[in-house]
Amino acid sequence: MSKREKLRDRLKNNPKNATFSDIQTLLEQEGFVLDRITGSHHIFTKNGVTFVIPVHHNKVKTIYVKRVIELIEPTDNQTDEEA
């Protein structure tokens, strides 16, 4: 199991303890780029897809962690089908 898979599984199983650095690492591994920061909103982009994550005290709310997991899982399924 790769580090990326371990991180994704850890976030999936325990989204309450997610830090912004964990989310940022996962999104960057998926090809997202931190486009800009406006106040507490960190805005990631990839191929026309924009994803906004509000961050307070280096913590990310559970709903945003779940959305990140949902956002990257179709990419993982497509990769598995192509192989």
Side-chain angles (χ1 to χ4, degrees):
M1 184 179 281
S2 68
K3 286 184 180 182
R4 181 175 139 231
E5 292 171 340
K6 287 181 184 179
L7 177 60
R8 188 183 67 226
D9 289 344
R10 183 168 54 89
L11 292 175
K12 188 186 281 189
N13 293 330
N14 195 0
K16 284 190 174 190
N17 291 332
T19 62
F20 174 69
S21 58
D22 291 338
I23 297 298
Q24 184 176 11
T25 301
L26 192 60
L27 285 172
E28 287 175 348
Q29 289 174 347
E30 292 296 324
F32 281 85
V33 177
L34 180 59
D35 186 40
R36 64 188 179 277
I37 301 173
T38 306
S40 64
H41 291 80
H42 292 66
I43 301 158
F44 291 87
T45 59
K46 175 186 174 185
N47 299 332
V49 176
T50 303
F51 194 77
V52 180
I53 301 176
V55 180
H56 300 281
H57 306 290
N58 199 30
K59 293 289 183 181
V60 178
K61 288 189 176 183
T62 305
I63 188 68
Y64 295 103
V65 176
K66 290 179 181 178
R67 287 183 183 170
V68 167
I69 298 296
E70 289 174 3
L71 182 68
I72 64 171
E73 279 188 342
T75 304
D76 291 341
N77 291 340
Q78 290 173 356
T79 306
D80 291 342
E81 290 173 3
E82 292 173 358

